[in-house]
Amino acid sequence: MKLYSLESSDPRLLGPYRLLWRIATGGMGRIYLARQEAPGTPASAAGPNGTVVDHGLVAVKTLLTEGIVSRPDRERFAREVQLAGRVDCAYTATVLDADAEAERPWLAIEFIPAPSLAELVVSAGTLPADAVRWVAAGVARALVELHGLRVVHRDIKPLNILLPHDGPRLIDFGISHAHDHTSSTTTIGTFAFTSPEQACGNKSTAASDVYSLGATLFFLAVGRPPYEQTDHPIGVLALVQRGELNTSGLPPELEPLILPLLEVDPGRRPAPSDVLRDILSGLDQATADRGAERWLPGAWTALIDEYAEQGRELRDGTVDVDAAEAPTQMKSEGTPEGSDGASSEMREQLLEALRKQQDALARAQAEEQAEAEARKLARQEEEERRLREQARKEEAERRERERTEQERNEKEQKERQREESERATREKTATAAPKLDDSKGWGGPLLVVAAIIGVLIWQPWGQPDDDTPTSGPSTPPFVSSSDSLDHIDSGTDTSSSSSSGGPDYTEPPESVTSTPEPDPTEDAFKAVSYGDCLDVVDTGYGGHSEYDWSEEEPNTTSCGYGARVRVTGTTGDCASGVDKAAWSYYSTTSEERTTLCLTGQYHQGDCLLATRDGNTVSSIAMLSSPNCADQMVPAAYNEILVVTAIYRATAGAGTEVCRHGQYDANSYWSINVDDDATMLCLKAYD
């Protein structure tokens, strides 16, 4: 393994540990090889599970900082120490000791003399399919243990997986990300191995670890990350954010294992326990638990042996640390070029060490700059999302105002039409009624004259009796608009006049059937299929009892990260549940109703509208999606809750599983969705 001499800026003691070598320097932290040799301290101490652990050689991590450690950095480091201290399993490096309140905070963990998967691939080549499965089983076991403790690693990558003979060991539980000022649960690891949701600045979940495992296994099998090669880290980040994979070169027999892990949608990735079960079912059960020799190529086992031998020498003290630091001292004293062969060899070792240090520092600076750019990009995307949400909210309010104004105008128009109709009726009645002036006594005679004229016109004496047949064409009866034209006798001559001199009657025209105009909204509803995801959310302005959708007609969208609703039916027979809804549309053109059955999709970091009274949440708009930082909410609600974690629902599980350690003082609520199969942890957004 590569060991570097201590620099003048490096401490010599951290707690009871004497620092011997510098192992690695990352963007935010530094790792040392140390031994517990401080005077007055025991040679062993109780480990996290109460057993006595012989510290011997340990790896000590500390913050990479200059001057006084700030309070926020110290608090983040303390949270990371507490998180790593919860882990005590055979597949990770054991935490031995820590002091987050020291002048320079530190964390001591078990020293594992083994190469990383990154170094093995670079130095010894890629792995065959069975060897990849064996490594995958070991890492999957570690993730099952971690996730069972509600710990998300957040930075699974080849460099953070050591491989001794007895199987993979996970190291580095995010200490190097203690400087991430965005959120304690939002991280962007090494770009080529991070998940799309992490690359977009969203929260890291157990599914994020699964994606990183898939990228790591791809690296073991192919020798590169699963993306197009680019020299700029931001270019890699953009590919990860869009989920643009390049899986060429992946052996076909490994596709069923690796490709499901690289699903862009976190909800479609398998759980580590499912991965482990599938791998073990395919491996030879008699040899599944054997060590590296059974599975790994010779070049891999040779390098693992070299590390193990070096570890034994370091523990036995046969490596002289003071002599190893001599090249640095000789360089400062200016040893001449003409010295003997031993001095020349030391100078070469020194130059090589300096070159490696410079390379490491350059990489650290590049990674730090890339991470800063990534955080800036994530903040910009969050601001753009906030502006989009604000614009959508304003658009919803505008449509609501327009709808209210339109209803008022229609009501006023109908009222005016009714008044005009009543006025026209009164005027018509007044015009049609005879105005008789009886002031001169003519009213009576005029009525008599009118009656006589009416009788003469009627001529009742000329009408035949009901039982007397008549000759000649008869006058057809009057046909109202509601009668059928079939009621008219087609044999009657309607072109001649009646015997009484009545008007001619002509055959009414045949009715014309017109084709109804298409209804685009109905077409949009009928175009939606089962399994589609829609770009629509409940704005909350409909209150607790009604949905007020952000769109007037459905628009399908990708079901990847960020989609809030999925269509579970189009027949109208929708199931009920807290996360379910029905969205229907009645077309006046076809006189048909189209109904879509919807269910919510949830991700860590999503926000929901809620009504809260103290510690009681009485209602939650489960299909809403407000901007988490909104200062105003619809009148029916008074709180915004954020999804902090998503777990598989189990009997008796409550909000106690939502807490992040014993010092977490937040108030949490939980709710079951997905037909009680999934539990969401919620807290007030702050």
Side-chain angles (χ1 to χ4, degrees):
M1 70 189 71
K2 298 177 177 64
L3 300 176
Y4 303 97
S5 300
L6 300 179
E7 298 176 348
S8 59
S9 60
D10 291 318
R12 265 45 184 178
L13 283 175
L14 283 176
Y17 301 100
R18 178 191 175 203
L19 306 188
L20 307 176
W21 302 87
R22 183 162 44 84
I23 299 177
T25 300
M28 300 296 177
R30 182 164 286 179
I31 306 173
Y32 299 94
L33 181 63
R35 188 187 300 275
Q36 183 172 329
E37 292 183 353
T41 58
S44 62
N49 57 1
T51 60
V52 175
V53 178
D54 181 7
H55 286 185
L57 290 178
V58 298
V60 179
K61 295 184 180 182
T62 186
L63 289 176
L64 183 61
T65 183
E66 296 181 1
I68 299 175
V69 180
S70 68
R71 173 52 55 181
D73 288 346
R74 189 178 297 277
E75 290 175 351
R76 290 184 179 89
F77 191 90
R79 284 197 296 270
E80 296 290 355
V81 168
Q82 190 272 338
L83 181 70
R86 286 163 51 186
V87 180
D88 182 23
C89 68
Y91 311 106
T92 62
T94 304
V95 175
L96 303 175
D97 201 357
D99 188 354
E101 295 300 324
E103 180 179 356
R104 190 164 185 172
W106 55 269
L107 169 68
I109 63 174
E110 174 189 7
F111 170 59
I112 302 173
S116 69
L117 295 181
E119 183 175 355
L120 283 164
V121 170
V122 172
S123 301
T126 58
L127 285 180
D130 281 347
V132 172
R133 294 190 184 96
W134 180 74
V135 173
V139 182
R141 284 191 181 98
L143 291 182
V144 170
E145 292 276 356
L146 293 181
H147 296 171
L149 297 170
R150 300 191 300 277
V151 174
V152 178
H153 188 283
R154 301 182 292 166
D155 196 13
I156 302 292
K157 58 185 178 182
L159 193 62
N160 282 343
I161 302 174
L162 303 183
L163 188 59
H165 280 291
D166 56 354
R169 306 282 285 276
L170 270 180
I171 62 172
D172 193 352
F173 290 87
I175 300 299
S176 62
H177 295 284
H179 277 253
D180 187 347
H181 292 274
T182 56
S183 170
S184 62
T185 57
T186 300
T187 56
I188 299 178
T190 302
F191 294 158
F193 299 97
T194 194
S195 65
E197 58 269 22
Q198 289 173 284
C200 292
N202 296 315
K203 300 301 173 73
S204 304
T205 65
S208 305
D209 284 351
V210 172
Y211 187 97
S212 298
L213 171 60
T216 298
L217 298 180
F218 185 95
F219 178 80
L220 298 184
V222 183
R224 63 170 178 84
Y227 304 99
E228 291 290 344
Q229 298 301 297
T230 177
D231 295 332
H232 201 287
I234 297 301
V236 177
L237 180 64
L239 294 175
V240 177
Q241 289 174 331
R242 297 194 297 266
E244 294 183 7
L245 297 172
N246 175 14
T247 59
S248 60
L250 180 64
E253 60 268 34
L254 287 176
E255 290 181 357
L257 167 64
I258 295 177
L259 294 185
L261 308 181
L262 296 175
E263 285 281 353
V264 175
D265 182 359
R268 296 173 64 88
R269 300 171 200 156
S273 57
D274 297 331
V275 176
L276 180 60
R277 183 189 63 245
D278 293 342
I279 293 173
L280 294 180
S281 65
L283 289 175
D284 180 1
Q285 294 300 318
T287 58
D289 294 327
R290 292 186 184 176
E293 298 85 351
R294 166 64 179 82
W295 300 103
L296 301 179
W300 279 55
T301 56
L303 186 57
I304 294 173
D305 288 339
E306 291 180 14
Y307 268 75
E309 177 62 26
Q310 186 182 15
R312 284 190 292 269
E313 293 176 354
L314 288 169
R315 286 194 176 96
D316 295 342
T318 57
V319 175
D320 188 349
V321 176
D322 294 330
E325 293 179 342
T328 302
Q329 299 170 357
M330 294 177 64
K331 178 70 175 178
S332 62
E333 295 169 0
T335 303
E337 291 292 334
S339 300
D340 57 20
S343 299
S344 177
E345 182 179 354
M346 288 182 180
R347 283 196 300 274
E348 290 298 327
Q349 293 176 355
L350 172 62
L351 292 174
E352 179 64 20
L354 290 175
R355 282 195 296 268
K356 291 179 178 179
Q357 291 176 21
Q358 291 172 354
D359 291 343
L361 289 175
R363 286 194 300 271
Q365 292 173 354
E367 289 180 1
E368 185 173 4
Q369 180 180 0
E371 289 181 357
E373 293 178 0
R375 287 193 293 270
K376 180 180 179 181
L377 181 61
R379 288 194 297 269
Q380 291 175 347
E381 290 181 349
E382 176 62 25
E383 179 64 17
E384 291 174 357
R385 179 178 178 274
R386 186 188 67 80
L387 293 175
R388 288 195 301 270
E389 289 291 335
Q390 181 178 355
R392 184 179 60 78
K393 179 180 177 182
E394 293 174 353
E395 177 65 16
E397 293 174 346
R398 183 189 63 78
R399 287 200 302 268
E400 178 66 18
R401 290 193 300 269
E402 290 178 352
R403 184 176 64 82
T404 303
E405 181 69 19
Q406 183 179 1
E407 290 178 352
R408 183 171 62 251
N409 292 339
E410 290 176 354
K411 183 177 180 181
E412 292 175 354
Q413 183 178 2
K414 289 180 180 179
E415 184 66 23
R416 287 194 300 270
Q417 290 176 348
R418 186 183 62 79
E419 292 175 355
E420 291 174 1
S421 177
E422 290 178 354
R423 183 170 61 253
T425 301
R426 289 195 299 269
E427 291 175 356
K428 183 176 180 181
T429 302
T431 303
K435 298 181 180 180
L436 301 179
D437 185 0
D438 199 28
S439 60
K440 296 183 180 181
W442 292 98
L446 287 176
L447 290 175
V448 174
V449 172
I452 294 174
I453 293 174
V455 171
L456 292 176
I457 293 174
W458 180 28
Q459 296 181 1
W461 53 84
Q463 300 293 330
D465 296 335
D466 292 340
D467 297 332
T468 304
T470 58
S471 61
S474 61
T475 304
F478 176 76
V479 182
S480 69
S481 61
S482 61
D483 291 332
S484 171
L485 297 179
D486 294 338
H487 291 175
I488 301 176
D489 185 0
S490 60
T492 303
D493 183 6
T494 59
S495 63
S496 61
S497 302
S498 66
S499 58
S500 61
D504 293 343
Y505 287 83
T506 59
E507 193 74 25
E510 296 182 358
S511 62
V512 179
T513 303
S514 61
T515 303
E517 293 292 331
D519 187 338
T521 302
E522 181 183 31
D523 293 342
F525 269 81
K526 289 189 174 181
V528 176
S529 303
Y530 173 86
D532 286 347
C533 289
L534 304 182
D535 184 16
V536 64
V537 294
D538 177 18
T539 67
Y541 288 97
H544 297 155
S545 59
E546 295 183 3
Y547 291 98
D548 181 63
W549 302 110
S550 59
E551 304 293 337
E552 295 188 3
E553 60 184 44
N555 298 312
T556 58
T557 186
S558 170
C559 288
Y561 193 85
R564 176 48 58 88
V565 298
R566 183 188 294 270
V567 178
T568 58
T570 58
T571 62
D573 186 14
C574 300
S576 60
V578 296
D579 59 333
K580 295 177 173 56
W583 187 13
S584 63
Y585 173 74
Y586 178 77
S587 173
T588 57
T589 301
S590 66
E591 299 183 349
E592 293 181 2
R593 181 175 294 278
T594 306
T595 301
L596 303 178
C597 301
L598 308 179
T599 188
Q601 294 195 132
Y602 304 96
H603 312 87
Q604 192 175 17
D606 287 346
C607 284
L608 304 170
L609 295 170
T611 302
R612 175 185 176 188
D613 183 9
N615 286 329
T616 301
V617 173
S618 58
S619 65
I620 304 176
M622 295 302 297
L623 298 186
S624 63
S625 182
N627 187 308
C628 296
D630 276 351
Q631 299 298 317
M632 299 180 63
V633 297
Y637 303 94
N638 62 5
E639 186 65 273
I640 292 180
L641 302 182
V642 60
V643 179
T644 61
I646 301 176
Y647 298 112
R648 183 175 298 171
T650 57
T655 56
E656 68 278 356
V657 304
C658 300
R659 300 193 178 281
H660 298 282
Q662 59 180 333
Y663 302 110
D664 188 350
N666 290 303
S667 296
Y668 289 90
W669 297 269
S670 64
I671 187 169
N672 288 356
V673 297
D674 192 21
D675 297 324
D676 289 334
T678 303
M679 185 183 78
L680 306 182
C681 289
L682 306 166
K683 77 177 187 70
Y685 183 83
D686 50 27

